[in-house]
Amino acid sequence: MDDAAGEEEASMFETSHVLGALLASSPLLARAWDRCAAANAAASGFVHGEDGGTVYVGFSGAPAALSAAGAAVAGGGGLFVPVGLGGDATRRIFAPLVAAEPDAAAVGEQVAVQALALQCFLKLCGSPDFQILLDQIRGKAVVFTGHSLGGAIAALVTLHYLCISSSSSTFGPAPPVLCVTFGSPLVGNEALSRAILRERWGSNFCHVVSQHDVVPRLLFCPLDTVPAHIIVGMQLQQWPARTHHAGAVTAVTARVADTDRHALRQLIQTHVGAVAMEQKLADPAALSGGPYRPFGTYVMCSPDGAVCVDNPTAAVQMLYATFASRCSPGLESPEVAHSCYGDLVLKMPQHLLVKRRLRAADAPATSNYDAGVSLALEASGIHAMATEASTARHWLKTSKRAGRRPSLNCAQLATKLGRITPCRAQIEWYKALFDGELGYYDAFKQRRSPKKFNKANMYRIKLGQFWDGVLAMLDAGQLPHDFHRRAKWVNAARFYQLLVEPLDIADYHRHNLHRTRGRYLTHGRERRYELFDRWWQEKGCAGVRRGDVASSMSSSAASASRRRRSKYAGLTQDPCFWARVEDAREQTESARSERDAAELAMKLEELQEFEHYSGELVASREVSVDVLAPQSSYTLWVEEWNQLKHRDEVRTILL
């Protein structure tokens, strides 16, 4: 295994320093920083302007810091406590992120962000000027940016912009938006990081962090140990208008000046180090420190260059390694380290040119990969002889291997998919056995032919485990970023869903879970099926807008009416058809005993809607022949519904 790893390293290039150099030499960071400086001087809290065909929107954290100054002096209170996004005020704003975490209860954590940044963002959302700006920039290339607390606000604005952009169209590429933060404190928890990975939005965030800046690292500490006045005070020190609010600013900045810098450094180093060392744990809840974790790409800057790290685990590790290294001359002060971004952005391109000339005569390294790692360490400010250099080198190598794994993992998954295909074939054979009598849905629900049932159930479970494993890899970033758009996997997932979800529905109703938990469609559906629906819809093969469950029946019927088959489908094209049949049967039974005319009319209206929907599917042959089997639940419902329609009180309402 070690020899194979060595051969792999010898054939690889370490590119994090190359990406860092490319970014540092581009005008992006300088333009973004100029907008940050302009925002700090603006009264509105944000400014915008177009440069090179891109709209730059800068946000200031000064209003947030000023509003929190009193609480910061008093000890911080709840300034940085995590606030869940599932509330009424935020669920609509961040709908895809909240909806992307249906198993939050299972992992014991909901998507949450820090209270101060969220409070300022919500206030910003209520501004007419901000809403006008969102309308003006829609469809354009845009960069949201901010320094310190302004960066946290910019990150939330970017998330909101991505959410509304993804909800406004059924499918298509992500909007051309980038968030560039400078010295921003951490924004969200592990659940937010996972949700961003699932939405494939990690590449939309670029967090620039100087080597010894305490603000981006402070919220790794437990919240009861965080000196909130450090974050608030350092933001206010960058505010040109601070003299107009001398009382509040002076009190906070005085506490910053009185802070024991050595103790502060030790606090951060201890807790960031603990989190970095524990990243190998599988359970995120087991990690020590505060509730916040990074997301997106981190750009570690030093006077010697920049390094890009796009893996959250590696980001934590490099945040620790760079902070633990010896301070560069002139950057020992926390205030200087937090305010040096303007100088770094201007000087890094010049330093890159000087370094390139100085290293031209250096002896060649043992491999391109080792040379790249050495350059990356140097660019991040870690001296080759420093005590943390060996650990940082190992972390960079590990993150590089992890970065190269997605394509290989995808190839290995294709092999596993081929091995699991016989399980799918067995369920197809099971389906064919009952097509002519009562259909495989009802046969499975009633446990007909126990031996065949047990085998089909075993294959159903195996297939579910395989696809859950695929999604776990996708959540962890171990598969290519466009995995969910590759036709092979979208089609394979869709075929699995159409074949197996009816059995899951049958199992749900066989155990009477619809009575104890609620309807399958709202309380029993596995997360994988909801994701597969989204994959299929993003491919453009369905007329339902993502997340619009309420209109799915009418959309499916309309789609079916446009496509008339010459014979019945091999599999019913609505994976939830049997759940709707079960709901219709219960509604029919309820209508029989209903005495209230208004309630009866409402139930009959819903039953008519399902009659129209199912009739369209049958007429267009979008159902499999098992749906029309003599003893199927659907055939029984049609009989029950026809009997109900002949009752006098029902005929009166329907007429």
Side-chain angles (χ1 to χ4, degrees):
M1 180 65 71
D2 293 339
D3 293 340
E7 290 177 5
E8 181 184 9
E9 287 183 7
S11 64
M12 292 193 323
F13 286 90
E14 213 303 315
T15 57
S16 58
H17 71 288
V18 177
L19 295 174
L22 180 64
L23 183 62
S25 60
S26 75
L28 172 65
L29 296 184
R31 290 172 179 172
W33 178 256
D34 288 344
R35 205 51 61 180
C36 290
N40 280 332
S44 62
F46 69 93
V47 296
H48 63 93
E50 192 164 336
D51 194 343
T54 300
V55 178
Y56 288 80
V57 185
F59 296 90
S60 171
L66 186 62
S67 67
V73 172
L79 291 179
F80 297 106
V81 297
V83 177
L85 297 182
D88 294 338
T90 53
R91 176 177 289 274
R92 179 180 55 83
I93 296 175
F94 298 103
L97 291 174
V98 178
E101 192 69 14
D103 53 348
V107 300
E109 189 178 32
Q110 294 183 346
V111 173
V113 299
Q114 52 150 295
L116 181 57
L118 180 61
Q119 175 188 344
C120 296
F121 165 75
L122 292 177
K123 184 177 180 180
L124 189 66
C125 278
S127 163
D129 291 340
F130 179 68
Q131 294 301 324
I132 292 173
L133 172 65
L134 289 182
D135 290 335
Q136 289 176 343
I137 65 176
R138 189 159 299 173
K140 297 181 180 179
V142 58
V143 175
F144 296 112
T145 186
H147 173 237
S148 198
L149 285 170
I153 296 170
L156 290 180
V157 170
T158 305
L159 286 173
H160 172 54
Y161 188 74
L162 288 168
C163 286
I164 60 177
S165 298
S166 67
S167 300
S168 63
S169 60
T170 304
F171 59 94
V177 57
L178 178 66
C179 176
V180 179
T181 71
F182 297 90
S184 168
L186 296 174
V187 175
N189 61 355
E190 178 75 22
L192 177 65
S193 181
R194 289 197 305 269
I196 290 172
L197 276 175
R198 272 195 296 272
E199 294 297 319
R200 325 312 282 173
W201 291 345
S203 60
N204 294 96
F205 295 87
C206 175
H207 305 288
V208 182
V209 177
S210 72
Q211 188 176 359
H212 297 288
D213 190 353
V214 300
V215 172
R217 299 168 170 92
L218 198 51
L219 292 184
F220 281 114
C221 304
L223 292 182
D224 57 355
T225 68
V226 172
H229 65 276
I230 294 292
I231 299 177
V232 174
M234 287 190 177
Q235 173 70 75
L236 290 174
Q237 287 176 342
Q238 314 301 317
W239 191 26
R242 59 182 178 272
T243 54
H244 299 300
H245 303 270
V249 174
T250 301
V252 180
T253 53
R255 285 205 64 186
V256 174
D258 292 340
T259 300
D260 185 333
R261 296 177 180 179
H262 178 72
L264 176 64
R265 185 175 180 82
Q266 284 299 116
L267 172 72
I268 295 173
Q269 197 163 320
T270 298
H271 290 292
V272 179
V275 175
M277 297 300 179
E278 293 176 358
Q279 287 292 297
K280 61 183 179 181
L281 294 177
D283 182 9
L287 295 178
S288 62
Y292 298 106
R293 292 296 181 266
F295 59 83
T297 299
Y298 270 72
V299 182
M300 313 294 177
C301 292
S302 78
D304 294 316
V307 173
C308 287
V309 181
D310 60 2
N311 181 300
T313 297
V316 176
Q317 294 167 341
M318 290 303 293
L319 283 168
Y320 166 72
T322 53
F323 189 78
S325 63
R326 182 176 58 85
C327 288
S328 303
L331 292 181
E332 294 85 355
S333 164
E335 294 89 341
V336 173
H338 188 58
S339 61
C340 68
Y341 292 97
D343 290 337
L344 284 176
V345 165
L346 291 176
K347 293 179 180 178
M348 271 193 299
Q350 303 170 19
H351 285 225
L352 290 171
L353 292 174
V354 173
K355 285 287 179 182
R356 189 173 298 149
R357 286 199 296 269
L358 290 177
R359 295 193 63 85
D362 286 355
T366 55
S367 71
N368 292 324
Y369 183 72
D370 285 329
V373 171
S374 297
L375 285 171
L377 291 178
E378 180 185 2
S380 66
I382 302 175
H383 192 271
M385 303 305 293
T387 55
E388 60 278 356
S390 176
T391 303
R393 179 180 291 272
H394 169 72
W395 282 338
L396 275 177
K397 287 185 176 182
T398 302
S399 68
K400 182 62 179 179
R401 288 196 202 104
R404 295 185 75 248
R405 292 296 300 180
S407 296
L408 183 58
N409 287 341
C410 189
Q412 292 172 344
L413 265 184
T415 302
K416 292 180 181 178
L417 178 63
R419 292 173 183 167
I420 204 74
T421 297
C423 295
R424 195 177 70 183
Q426 288 289 337
I427 294 180
E428 290 183 79
W429 175 75
Y430 176 81
K431 176 183 181 299
L433 285 176
F434 297 100
D435 272 350
E437 181 186 352
L438 73 167
Y440 82 128
Y441 169 79
D442 287 282
F444 193 83
K445 181 182 172 184
Q446 299 172 23
R447 292 181 62 116
R448 293 287 183 92
S449 301
K451 288 186 178 180
K452 294 182 176 65
F453 165 83
N454 289 333
K455 285 187 177 181
N457 193 42
M458 178 183 67
Y459 296 133
R460 174 183 74 92
I461 293 171
K462 282 186 176 182
L463 286 167
Q465 291 172 340
F466 169 78
W467 285 104
D468 283 343
V470 171
L471 295 179
M473 294 178 69
L474 191 61
D475 291 346
Q478 297 172 358
L479 294 173
H481 71 280
D482 61 344
F483 179 86
H484 64 305
R485 292 184 178 177
R486 296 188 178 185
K488 172 179 179 175
W489 291 101
V490 173
N491 292 334
R494 183 65 173 179
F495 189 92
Y496 156 76
Q497 180 182 12
L498 295 179
L499 177 68
V500 177
E501 187 168 9
L503 300 186
D504 283 1
I505 298 169
D507 187 71
Y508 190 81
H509 283 269
R510 183 168 60 85
H511 288 95
N512 287 317
L513 296 179
H514 61 293
R515 303 192 188 280
T516 57
R517 294 184 186 175
R519 297 173 63 236
Y520 173 85
L521 288 170
T522 53
H523 295 90
R525 208 167 184 224
E526 293 286 347
R527 171 177 169 255
R528 58 178 174 270
Y529 295 133
E530 295 175 351
L531 290 178
F532 294 162
D533 277 343
R534 290 172 60 184
W535 292 6
W536 189 250
Q537 291 156 15
E538 287 173 356
K539 183 186 175 186
C541 294
V544 187
R545 179 166 294 174
R546 188 171 80 179
D548 190 1
V549 177
S551 65
S552 59
M553 287 205 318
S554 59
S555 298
S556 296
S559 177
S561 66
R562 291 191 299 267
R563 302 188 311 269
R564 297 288 179 178
R565 295 173 180 264
S566 59
K567 61 181 181 179
Y568 288 108
L571 295 168
T572 300
Q573 296 302 292
D574 177 5
C576 293
F577 177 79
W578 291 109
R580 305 189 205 283
V581 170
E582 295 286 359
D583 289 347
R585 293 195 72 183
E586 285 207 1
Q587 191 80 307
T588 303
E589 183 65 28
S590 176
R592 283 176 179 161
S593 57
E594 185 59 63
R595 294 293 176 262
D596 184 277
E599 286 291 327
L600 179 60
M602 185 170 59
K603 291 176 180 179
L604 292 176
E605 182 180 358
E606 293 177 0
L607 287 169
Q608 279 187 305
E609 288 179 4
F610 179 70
E611 179 186 33
H612 175 72
Y613 163 72
S614 59
E616 282 287 345
L617 287 183
V618 172
S620 59
R621 295 182 173 86
E622 291 290 302
V623 298
S624 174
V625 292
D626 65 300
V627 170
L628 304 176
Q631 298 300 315
S632 75
S633 290
Y634 175 73
T635 301
L636 296 178
W637 172 79
V638 171
E639 295 174 359
E640 295 163 0
W641 171 233
N642 287 332
Q643 291 173 7
L644 181 64
K645 287 192 294 185
H646 283 93
R647 293 173 61 169
D648 292 339
E649 66 272 23
V650 173
R651 267 198 313 231
T652 301
I653 295 174
L654 294 180
L655 290 176

